[in-house]
Amino acid sequence: MNQHQLVWRRVVLWSALVCSFLAVSITQVRADETCQSPYLPKITGEEDYVYIWTLGDKGLGDSSDKLVTIGANPKRPDQYGKVLSSVSVGGQHEAHHGGFTDDRRYLWLGGLDTSKIFVFDVAASPAKPALVKTIDTFVKDSGGVVGPHTFYPLPGRMLITGLSNEKDHGGKTGLVEYNNEGKFIQTYWMPEGAEYGYDVRIQPHLNRMLTSSFTGWNNYMMDFGKMLADPEAMKRFGSTMVLWDFHARKPIQTFEVPGAPLEIRWALQPRHHYAFTATALTSKIWLINQKEDGTFAAKAVADIGDPKKVPLPVDISLSADDQFLFVNTFMDGTCRVYNVADPTKPRMIHEQKIGAQVNMVSQSWDGKRVYFTTSLLANWDKKGEANEQFLKAYTWDGKALKHSFTVDFNKEKLGRPHIMHFGQDQFYKNQIYTDNMGTDTRRVATNMQ
């Protein structure tokens, strides 16, 4: 066993010890056509592009965070599986998550370290998005929220979750709203007893909003091994989820969900009144299900791998028919697929090793194509040879994943790929946009007839 393997074995052992000793949770890490906001128009046909928000890696290429566009249409062999464009934003900001505005015209991308937000125009040239605006006043605008994480489009607005705060860089945080032009609207701080934040997802026909919880800047910017060895740091993780009245933006129920509940996925079928999450530290799938009286209850319904080995569940993705739940685990680089036709009894039907590490998973609306990226956080990714950084594309036939192509981000000198979003030429050809001044109506796609 070489030195690098020894280091990671120690990390795994530390994780197991910490989790068995503390009744706390750890966390991390999400985009997906099936798991987007209900207010966002979907790409229901084959995607032409995958947009990847990528962390800069010191000494690799220009070392800056960047938006990378990969060709994803096999009918275009000159583009398929290739880098079509790369736009650096200058510097390293801990590139993490982002989301489209509700018209899918602009893609907002956030940095967890500097709290800067970069706005790209995707519609004007879907193969080559352009940086058109930078919002560097997020902390000041919001009254001290730090670490913009989930970007969730609402009609005419962008709802953004924070991970931390300016005062102590701990886990207390809030939700922040801007309008689509980048003007701050208001901040909602997380309620007492459930101060941590992470993801947000809305179920409009129930008028309910769910939030989950992670950790603050002090932890997510710390070296992973150092943090796991620090008992005080390991106490600073969220273990709650909050159910809100969406229209009133008021919390109405708090659930104890030990182990850092991360991504939230509401069921998509109209009569399915439940959501899933996965807990990073305790390695379980949780179901948040509506009861007959209209209130909700949270319950652990399945283990993910062997929780004693701390596989560290990260991103999850629910198919559009609510039949399959894809669950990535970072430490063993594996995707597990569960049949969740009965949401109270998830049943694993497929297991696939993706790489030495894996984080994000995104599937197409028809469920036939699934994409994976690797980076968790700059200081949490594996080291040495295990620091694989890639986009991998697979097809899914309901039974197994089959590899389609790989883009090696280390070899291409791009950095650490994180969240993915999809683009399609035909979608933008069918849109009509009004400019921000309201004086001119024009189509923005290229080669528009």
Side-chain angles (χ1 to χ4, degrees):
M1 182 176 294
N2 59 35
Q3 185 176 3
H4 177 72
Q5 290 171 318
L6 282 170
V7 170
W8 276 102
R9 183 175 181 179
R10 289 170 185 160
V11 168
V12 173
L13 289 172
W14 266 112
S15 302
L17 286 170
V18 169
C19 288
S20 61
F21 184 71
L22 300 172
V24 298
S25 37
I26 189 181
T27 84
Q28 184 54 332
V29 191
R30 126 214 5 208
D32 223 328
E33 203 60 25
T34 63
C35 305
Q36 297 282 358
S37 164
Y39 301 106
L40 183 75
K42 307 297 186 296
I43 292 176
T44 55
E46 190 150 7
E47 58 282 357
D48 294 322
Y49 312 107
V50 180
Y51 305 117
I52 305 170
W53 186 213
T54 301
L55 292 78
D57 198 351
K58 188 176 181 180
L60 195 67
D62 66 2
S63 303
S64 291
D65 296 352
K66 54 181 64 68
L67 180 62
V68 177
T69 302
I70 304 293
N73 188 339
K75 297 176 183 176
R76 301 176 183 177
D78 60 321
Q79 297 183 350
Y80 188 59
K82 297 178 181 177
V83 179
L84 303 183
S85 72
S86 171
V87 181
S88 294
V89 300
Q92 296 178 356
H93 308 271
E94 194 64 46
H96 205 74
H97 286 181
F100 284 105
T101 49
D102 65 317
D103 56 4
R104 213 170 178 125
R105 180 175 181 179
Y106 296 106
L107 181 58
W108 292 36
L109 302 167
L112 292 182
D113 186 17
T114 63
S115 295
K116 288 187 176 182
I117 297 170
F118 304 94
V119 181
F120 283 78
D121 183 351
V122 174
S125 181
K128 296 181 179 179
L131 179 64
V132 295
K133 187 172 188 174
T134 300
I135 300 172
D136 57 8
T137 56
F138 178 79
V139 177
K140 180 181 178 182
D141 292 343
S142 63
V145 176
V146 164
H149 184 263
T150 297
F151 291 74
Y152 200 80
L154 305 176
R157 298 184 176 192
M158 183 67 79
L159 178 63
I160 306 169
T161 62
L163 294 188
S164 191
N165 67 84
E166 184 183 29
K167 184 176 181 181
D168 63 6
H169 279 183
K172 182 177 181 179
T173 192
L175 301 150
V176 184
E177 280 189 39
Y178 282 82
N179 68 16
N180 282 358
E181 285 69 50
K183 183 180 179 181
F184 169 75
I185 298 175
Q186 51 194 334
T187 298
Y188 313 94
W189 290 92
M190 296 296 291
E192 185 177 351
E195 293 89 353
Y196 288 76
Y198 183 76
D199 197 14
V200 62
R201 301 283 149 166
I202 295 163
Q203 182 55 279
H205 68 265
L206 298 177
N207 186 31
R208 291 294 178 263
M209 180 168 77
L210 263 177
T211 53
S212 56
S213 55
F214 180 40
T215 194
W217 187 96
N218 289 328
N219 271 7
Y220 68 68
M221 292 302 296
M222 188 185 299
D223 177 81
F224 192 44
K226 181 180 178 182
M227 181 192 69
L228 292 173
D230 183 344
E232 290 303 312
M234 292 304 297
K235 293 178 181 177
R236 299 193 289 264
F237 281 91
S239 59
T240 55
M241 296 183 73
V242 179
L243 186 74
W244 304 63
D245 181 299
F246 167 54
H247 288 299
R249 309 287 202 272
K250 298 292 184 184
I252 52 178
Q253 279 188 268
T254 297
F255 310 108
E256 292 296 325
V257 183
L262 300 182
E263 315 302 334
I264 300 166
R265 303 291 180 245
W266 281 104
L268 294 160
Q269 297 302 303
R271 297 183 185 277
H272 290 177
H273 300 162
Y274 55 83
F276 291 106
T277 192
T279 49
L281 282 179
T282 49
S283 300
K284 294 184 183 298
I285 296 172
W286 282 73
L287 177 69
I288 300 88
N289 200 6
Q290 191 177 43
K291 299 189 294 185
E292 290 185 359
D293 64 359
T295 63
F296 281 73
K299 180 181 180 182
V301 290
D303 288 338
I304 303 168
D306 182 353
K308 294 180 181 177
K309 296 180 180 179
V310 195
L312 200 63
V314 279
D315 199 14
I316 62 175
S317 176
L318 183 63
S319 61
D321 58 6
D322 295 338
Q323 297 297 299
F324 302 110
L325 184 69
F326 295 74
V327 181
N328 280 357
T329 45
F330 182 79
M331 295 302 292
D332 58 9
T334 297
C335 178
R336 295 173 176 82
V337 185
Y338 292 82
N339 182 315
V340 289
D342 179 352
T344 66
K345 298 178 181 177
R347 177 170 54 87
M348 194 178 77
I349 59 170
H350 182 60
E351 187 174 14
Q352 175 92 28
K353 177 83 170 179
I354 305 299
Q357 57 186 3
V358 68
N359 182 16
M360 307 300 293
V361 53
S362 293
Q363 63 178 305
S364 56
W365 184 260
D366 60 12
K368 295 180 180 178
R369 297 167 301 287
V370 186
Y371 300 87
F372 298 92
T373 56
T374 38
S375 182
L376 184 56
L377 290 159
N379 292 326
W380 289 27
D381 287 351
K382 295 182 179 180
K383 308 294 192 299
E385 294 182 357
N387 184 33
E388 296 177 348
Q389 299 294 349
F390 55 72
L391 164 73
K392 287 189 178 182
Y394 289 77
T395 58
W396 169 250
D397 62 3
K399 296 179 181 177
L401 291 163
K402 183 179 179 181
H403 180 256
S404 298
F405 69 79
T406 298
V407 177
D408 186 331
F409 273 55
N410 283 329
K411 184 179 179 181
E412 298 285 347
K413 299 186 184 306
L414 293 169
R416 305 167 184 263
H418 197 92
I419 199 167
M420 298 165 276
H421 287 280
F422 298 152
Q424 183 193 66
D425 287 327
Q426 190 61 51
F427 172 85
Y428 287 108
K429 289 179 180 178
N430 292 332
Q431 307 305 311
I432 298 174
Y433 293 111
T434 301
D435 71 11
N436 294 338
M437 300 302 293
T439 57
D440 178 37
T441 298
R442 58 193 175 97
R443 295 186 178 190
V444 298
T446 56
N447 64 8
M448 199 63 198
Q449 300 299 316

